[in-house]
Amino acid sequence: MPEVVVKICVPADEYIKVYRGTAKTVLCETLDGRRVRFPADILQKFVTRSGVEGQFRIYFDPQGRYQRIEKIT
């Protein structure tokens, strides 16, 4: 299963756009320099009062569809 590691820092006032429906995806750079886009709502379980912050490993199927995410730091 393909995977990427990303470092994410999204302040709470930015993540609120997901709840309002104005943000559907997140575009960020992986630690090895590739760009990856994924559904913003996969971060929901990691939201704190300050937003979303940390390193995450995101798994995709061979067709590039999201499978799961885990926080690694």
Side-chain angles (χ1 to χ4, degrees), residues 3-20:
E3 62 185 70
V4 296
V5 176
V6 295
K7 185 174 182 180
I8 298 174
C9 182
V10 179
D13 61 331
E14 281 293 312
Y15 195 78
I16 197 74
K17 293 176 183 179
V18 174
Y19 291 108
R20 291 185 180 146

Side-chain angles (χ1 to χ4, degrees), residues 41-55:
D41 61 350
I42 70 171
L43 298 172
Q44 187 170 358
K45 65 183 175 182
F46 303 106
V47 176
T48 66
R49 282 196 150 134
S50 58
V52 180
E53 188 171 350
Q55 285 189 359

Side-chain angles (χ1 to χ4, degrees), residues 27-72:
L27 175 64
C28 62
E29 192 171 298
T30 64
L31 294 185
D32 62 4
R34 296 177 285 166
R35 288 184 173 227
V36 62
R37 183 181 307 270
F38 53 88
D41 61 350
I42 70 171
L43 298 172
Q44 187 170 358
K45 65 183 175 182
F46 303 106
V47 176
T48 66
R49 282 196 150 134
S50 58
V52 180
E53 188 171 350
Q55 285 189 359
F56 299 85
R57 182 171 285 118
I58 306 172
Y59 297 89
F60 299 91
D61 68 14
Q63 290 74 40
R65 292 184 297 254
Y66 166 76
Q67 293 297 302
R68 66 186 172 96
I69 185 172
E70 60 186 29
K71 186 171 183 176
I72 52 179

